[in-house]
Amino acid sequence: MSEENEEAFQAFMEDLEFLINTLKDSFESQDVQFFIDEQHNTLFVKLEGLDEYSEKEIEEIAGPVLDELDLDFEEITLLPL
């Protein structure tokens, strides 16, 4: 892997980690897991306690976070853990 690609990958991983931790904090989750489906360019984030929120509350909390970070995924799906 070239140094430029390695730096881009490292920056992507830092952004992804920031997103995951921000979602975890926003939903006051004790545990979080994520999975990247490269074939469909989708990020799945499983958050403990997410099922305690209504769909509207999830959109209100997660919307600004997802809008702020411009990760290059076709879709980001939040699921209860």
Side-chain angles (χ1 to χ4, degrees), residues 54-73:
S54 71
E55 190 171 321
K56 183 178 180 182
E57 289 173 318
I58 293 170
E59 289 175 15
E60 289 174 354
I61 294 169
V65 173
L66 298 175
D67 289 342
E68 179 84 17
L69 292 172
D70 186 23
L71 293 177
D72 195 24
F73 289 105

Side-chain angles (χ1 to χ4, degrees), residues 7-19:
E7 287 176 10
F9 178 75
Q10 190 67 22
F12 169 77
M13 291 304 295
E14 288 173 8
D15 288 346
L16 180 59
E17 184 177 320
F18 180 75
L19 171 65

Side-chain angles (χ1 to χ4, degrees), residues 14-57:
E14 288 173 8
D15 288 346
L16 180 59
E17 184 177 320
F18 180 75
L19 171 65
I20 299 300
N21 287 328
T22 301
L23 288 170
K24 180 181 176 186
D25 292 344
S26 297
F27 289 100
E28 301 175 353
S29 298
Q30 296 298 314
D31 194 16
V32 64
Q33 298 174 1
F34 70 93
F35 171 75
I36 299 172
D37 179 350
E38 292 180 19
Q39 184 176 3
H40 296 103
N41 198 24
T42 301
L43 172 65
F44 294 94
V45 181
K46 293 182 175 183
L47 294 154
E48 183 179 44
L50 187 68
D51 51 353
E52 297 173 12
Y53 294 86
S54 71
E55 190 171 321
K56 183 178 180 182
E57 289 173 318

